[in-house]
């Protein structure tokens, strides 16, 4: 697929004005279609949206044209668009008395209510990646679940420089442009770089420095305060599809990306990736991932899902539309996936998030955990807070911990679990209602500590008071409590507080 047939961004501001005037926005779509039809689009089902756009208004015209890819009458297109400019730039094509879109355009709501537009190949905005592989190896997808996941977990502090590696249609670069002075976006596919230019222009965002090439090759020795990547992480036999297959064996692409990121980060900078990794016979997956972390970096690795090799192969065969091909060809490709996994002794594939922070610490913090439970996006603040807590714990020994003051984190509640009518609960659970939404069991001491933890008393003084209440030696209680206290701080249930402050 070449870039010669793609639209030019010359008149993107005029097209954007027309979209906004017609309320061709995320909110406008929801109002027009209603929640069921809007949700159906995410499942690649367009019939409800087609029924909702049978009217003659400008919004109905734009939805049919750019989101549903249905031709519209020339007169309707002229009423809804600066049509001459759109035809000249190649956003639409005239076919007799009808006009059809040359690209997908999907309204997308920014984190602060911005009206953005993601431009991608035809048929690749509605429903994400489903079956897009049938359109050619250079196809550029729109916004899918992986894209929004990465955008949600990214740390959003103001930075001087940000790198979106493997930009695709430009969604991560668009987010980064809101808090980075300089944004660089790279992709192996030149078509993707053109789509990123269109996405930024149509969304009213600053231009990015666009560079063609693989992994970190296009940026040479440049360094950044933030690196984000939703790479082609699929572990597959061969590299049929540029948007998903990395072209390296097994999980080598994700490993290379993580290992090389350390040298491209400025001190204190973050690198955040989505990734797949192999679960190999005889290896612990956590140790495998720990070995990827570059020197001088802290890391937080979260495994969100694990699929056995048959589930994984079927998922991506459906993604590329192979399930609709000749049954013998489908079986042969399925067999090739299983051969690949067998050769690499792969029994399952994990999916999740990897965040690095350049700390230069002598004792880096590397946390690898499995967390398949629901979380509350966006998580950028929670990610940053995780590393702040690691810094705190690394610099405070047990004695310093007991001298410090803490407060219960916001949105933490206590639950007592036990049989109905029982005098005492079987156990007490602290539960977060935000962020990672963790839950942890605590004993009587832990529950009592959390209940009075408002920053006014040091941890040691609280434990002394609890020891008096439960008739326990305060010295022994101080000796056995710091490990539990560290866990509550590490997981975000307790926050260090300045002496004398209150929650």
């Amino acid at each position: 697929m070449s870039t010669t047939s793609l639209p030019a961004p010359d008149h993107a501001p005029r097209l954007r004005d027309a979209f906004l005037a017609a309320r061709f926005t995320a909110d406008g779509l929801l109002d027009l279609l209603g929640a069921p039809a809007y949700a159906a689009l995410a499942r690649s089902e367009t019939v409800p949206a087609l029924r909702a756009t049978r009217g003659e208004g400008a919004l109905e015209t734009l939805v049919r044209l750019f989101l549903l890819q249905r031709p519209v009458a020339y007169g309707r297109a002229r009423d809804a668009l600066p049509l001459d400019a759109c035809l000249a730039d190649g956003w639409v094509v005239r076919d007799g008395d009808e006009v059809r879109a040359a690209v997908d355009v999907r309204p997308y709501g920014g984190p602060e209510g911005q009206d953005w537009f993601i431009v991608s190949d035809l048929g690749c905005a509605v429903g994400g990646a489903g079956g897009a592989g049938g359109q050619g190896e250079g196809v550029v997808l729109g916004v899918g679940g992986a894209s929004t996941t990465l955008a949600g977990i990214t740390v959003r502090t103001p930075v001087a420089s940000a790198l979106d590696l493997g930009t695709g249609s430009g969604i991560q670069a668009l987010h980064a442009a809101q808090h980075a002075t300089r944004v660089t976006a790279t992709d192996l596919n030149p078509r993707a770089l053109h789509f990123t230019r269109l996405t930024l222009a149509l969304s009213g965002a600053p231009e990015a420095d666009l560079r063609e090439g693989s992994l970190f090759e296009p940026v040479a020795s440049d360094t950044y305060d933030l690196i984000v990547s939703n790479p082609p992480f699929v572990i597959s036999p061969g590299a049929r599809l540029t948007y998903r297959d990395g072209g390296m064996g097994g999980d080598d692409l994700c490993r290379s990306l993580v290992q090389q990121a350390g040298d491209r980060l400025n001190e204190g900078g973050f690198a955040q990736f989505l990734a797949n990794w192999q679960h190999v016979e005889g290896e612990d997956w956590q140790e495998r991932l720990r070995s990827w972390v570059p020197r001088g970096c802290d890391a937080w690795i979260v495994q969100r899902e694990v699929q056995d090799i048959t589930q994984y192969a079927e998922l991506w065969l459906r993604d590329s539309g192979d399930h609709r091909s000749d049954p013998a060809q489908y079986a042969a490709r399925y067999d090739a996936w299983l051969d690949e996994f067998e050769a690499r002794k792969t029994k399952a594939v994990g999916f999740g998030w990897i965040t690095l922070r350049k700390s230069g610490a002598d004792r880096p913090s590397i946390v690898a955990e499995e967390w398949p439970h629901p979380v509350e996006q966006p998580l950028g603040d929670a990610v940053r807070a995780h590393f702040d807590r690691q810094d705190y714990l690394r610099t405070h020994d047990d004695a310093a911990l007991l001298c410090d003051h803490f407060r219960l984190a916001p949105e933490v509640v206590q639950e007592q679990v036990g049989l109905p009518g029982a005098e005492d609960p079987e156990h007490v659970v602290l539960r977060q209602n935000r962020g990672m939404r963790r839950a942890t069991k605590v004993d009587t001491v832990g529950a009592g500590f959390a209940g009075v933890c408002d920053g006014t008393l040091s941890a040691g003084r609280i434990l002394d008071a609890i020891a008096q209440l439960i008739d326990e030696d305060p010295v022994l209680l101080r000796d056995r409590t710091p490990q539990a206290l560290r866990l509550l701080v590490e997981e975000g249930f307790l926050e260090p507080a300045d002496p004398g402050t209150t929650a």
Side-chain angles (χ1 to χ4, degrees):
M1 287 186 163
S2 71
T3 62
T4 55
S5 60
L6 292 177
D10 299 358
H11 295 94
R14 290 185 61 192
L15 182 56
R16 173 179 172 79
D17 288 344
F19 285 167
L20 296 179
R23 294 198 72 229
F24 183 57
T25 62
D27 289 341
L29 282 181
L30 183 59
D31 290 342
L32 173 68
L33 303 180
Y38 192 78
L41 286 177
R43 303 190 299 271
S44 301
E45 297 291 348
T46 59
V47 172
L50 286 168
R51 292 174 61 86
T53 56
R54 289 178 290 193
E56 298 292 320
L59 178 55
E60 288 90 342
T61 298
L62 295 175
V63 172
R64 283 187 166 248
L65 186 61
F66 286 106
L67 196 58
L68 303 178
Q69 287 89 59
R70 294 300 194 274
V72 301
Y74 179 87
R76 288 187 60 181
R78 184 187 56 211
D79 292 341
L81 293 166
L83 189 54
D84 289 343
C86 289
L87 287 167
D89 286 354
W91 291 96
V92 296
V93 178
R94 184 171 183 177
D95 186 8
D97 292 333
E98 292 184 324
V99 172
R100 56 183 174 82
V103 290
D104 266 331
V105 178
R106 175 175 174 172
Y108 180 88
E112 297 179 0
Q114 302 98 325
D115 290 314
W116 291 343
F117 301 93
I118 312 302
V119 189
S120 63
D121 269 308
L122 287 170
C124 296
V126 175
Q135 302 186 46
E137 64 175 21
V139 66
V140 177
L141 300 186
V143 178
S147 302
T148 55
T149 293
L150 179 59
I153 68 172
T154 300
V155 175
R156 300 294 178 194
T157 52
V159 294
S161 57
L163 170 64
D164 175 14
L165 193 151
T167 186
S169 57
I171 178 60
Q172 308 306 329
L174 179 56
H175 275 279
Q178 310 308 303
H179 62 101
T181 303
R182 175 173 57 89
V183 176
T184 301
T186 71
D187 207 289
L188 182 63
N189 182 4
R191 187 176 179 85
L193 297 176
H194 194 96
F195 273 115
T196 294
R197 181 178 291 110
L198 297 175
T199 290
L200 294 174
L202 198 55
S203 299
E207 293 183 5
D209 178 7
L210 304 177
R211 304 187 191 183
E212 181 181 344
S214 177
L215 295 179
F216 289 101
E217 292 174 3
V219 300
S221 60
D222 293 352
T223 58
Y224 299 88
D225 302 313
L226 174 67
I227 299 171
V228 292
S229 183
N230 176 18
F233 53 66
V234 176
I235 300 171
S236 60
R240 289 173 55 206
L241 302 172
T242 304
Y243 73 85
R244 71 169 202 193
D245 301 323
M248 296 185 184
D251 52 18
D252 283 354
L253 182 135
C254 292
R255 176 183 55 79
S256 298
L257 185 61
V258 173
Q259 289 180 336
Q260 295 174 21
D263 291 336
R264 272 70 177 197
L265 277 177
N266 294 326
E267 195 70 20
F270 287 90
Q272 300 187 259
F273 315 103
L274 300 185
N276 274 174
W277 45 80
Q278 299 167 169
H279 284 229
V280 179
E281 292 180 13
E283 288 187 19
D284 180 89
W285 75 267
Q286 292 172 314
E287 290 305 312
R288 179 183 182 84
L289 271 291
R290 286 174 183 273
S291 71
W292 293 8
V293 178
R295 185 182 300 274
C297 288
D298 297 328
W300 186 20
I301 301 161
V302 181
Q303 180 167 272
R304 295 288 289 157
E305 184 180 4
V306 180
Q307 291 184 311
D308 67 48
I309 56 175
T310 59
Q311 292 174 312
Y312 189 80
E314 290 163 13
L315 169 68
W316 294 109
L317 287 167
R318 288 194 301 271
D319 168 84
S320 55
D322 288 318
H323 61 303
R324 295 193 293 267
S325 67
D326 175 72
Q329 185 181 57
Y330 174 81
R333 285 180 171 164
Y334 198 152
D335 216 28
W337 283 72
L338 298 185
D339 285 343
E340 174 81 3
F341 288 134
E342 183 178 338
R344 296 182 176 276
K345 297 183 179 181
T346 301
K347 58 184 180 180
V349 177
F351 167 80
W353 322 322
I354 299 176
T355 300
L356 306 177
R357 187 192 56 170
K358 188 72 168 285
S359 67
D362 294 333
R363 294 181 295 114
S365 163
I366 302 177
V367 176
E369 62 175 323
E370 187 162 11
W371 192 256
H373 312 294
V375 298
E376 183 186 57
Q377 288 275 36
L379 277 170
D381 288 345
V383 171
R384 186 178 67 250
H386 167 88
F387 288 94
D388 290 343
R389 293 193 297 270
Q390 297 302 319
D391 283 343
Y392 172 84
L393 292 170
R394 186 160 43 203
T395 57
H396 286 68
D397 60 15
D398 288 354
L401 213 61
L402 292 175
C403 290
D404 223 336
H405 296 236
F406 299 91
R407 61 172 175 265
L408 199 63
E411 304 295 329
V412 172
V413 297
Q414 176 179 301
E415 300 174 358
Q416 296 186 357
V417 181
L419 294 174
E423 185 175 343
D424 296 311
E426 293 179 16
H427 58 263
V428 175
V429 174
L430 298 181
R431 186 179 302 278
Q432 301 169 352
N433 285 327
R434 301 190 65 181
M436 294 294 286
R437 293 182 173 173
R438 297 185 188 275
T440 187
K441 289 183 183 179
V442 291
D443 60 13
T444 302
V445 173
F449 188 96
V452 298
C453 209
D454 63 1
T456 58
L457 296 175
S458 70
R461 289 191 61 187
I462 293 175
L463 291 177
D464 290 344
I466 292 174
Q468 187 174 4
L469 286 173
I470 63 176
D471 196 24
E472 184 170 338
D473 186 331
V475 175
L476 294 177
L477 187 59
R478 279 175 174 252
D479 285 345
R480 69 178 175 86
T481 301
Q483 184 176 357
L485 183 56
R486 283 186 179 278
L487 182 62
L488 291 175
V489 173
E490 181 176 358
E491 294 191 341
F493 291 95
L494 296 179
E495 298 176 346
D498 293 330
T501 62
T502 57

